[in-house]
């Protein structure tokens, strides 16, 4: 398991422990969508793209993150599990 998958698993397990639903987000025929969708206990939704340390989203990934944010949906990318958990805590809990 690579560094990106390790970060993703860490955040996924933490989120589930907080009562947050965490699903792998796949959109066949649409490349660049974020890795995970999170659904909070009160129905709030956000998306996260996970990157290995120091890596940045591709242009297509940035496009989708911006499109989601422009639509009023929280969407972000992280290469640090603690920052991702902080983002989820602020928005979901």
């Amino acid at each position: 398991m690579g560094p990106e998958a390790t970060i993703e698993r860490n955040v996924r397990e933490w989120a589930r422990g907080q009562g947050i639903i965490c699903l792998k987000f796949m959109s066949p025929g649409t490349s660049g969508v974020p890795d995970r969708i999170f659904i909070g206990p009160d129905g709030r939704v956000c998306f996260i793209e996970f990157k290995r340390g120091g890596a940045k989203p591709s242009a297509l990934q940035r496009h989708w993150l911006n499109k989601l944010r422009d639509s009023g949906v929280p969407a972000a990318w992280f290469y640090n599990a603690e920052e991702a958990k902080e983002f989820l805590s602020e928005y979901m809990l």
Side-chain angles (χ1 to χ4, degrees):
M1 187 177 308
E4 185 175 314
T6 300
I7 295 164
E8 189 173 334
R9 185 185 71 235
N10 181 308
V11 175
R12 182 181 70 233
E13 289 173 0
W14 175 87
R16 287 180 177 159
Q18 304 301 311
I20 299 169
I21 297 168
C22 176
L23 303 170
K24 183 76 171 168
F25 182 56
M26 296 168 52
S27 183
T30 306
S31 298
V33 296
D35 294 317
R36 294 277 174 177
I37 181 171
F38 293 85
I39 304 166
D42 63 355
R44 291 184 195 192
V45 173
C46 69
F47 293 82
I48 294 180
E49 172 67 30
F50 292 97
K51 304 307 281 180
R52 69 182 179 281
K56 296 187 182 193
S58 69
L60 189 55
Q61 289 170 328
R62 284 192 310 274
H63 163 79
W64 281 110
L65 290 169
N66 289 333
K67 191 166 184 75
L68 288 164
R69 286 192 294 255
D70 290 348
S71 296
V73 179
W77 64 274
F78 297 98
Y79 56 82
N80 177 295
E82 295 310 311
E83 289 178 4
K85 291 176 194 176
E86 197 173 304
F87 172 79
L88 289 169
S89 291
E90 289 176 13
Y91 184 70
M92 297 276 180
L93 303 175

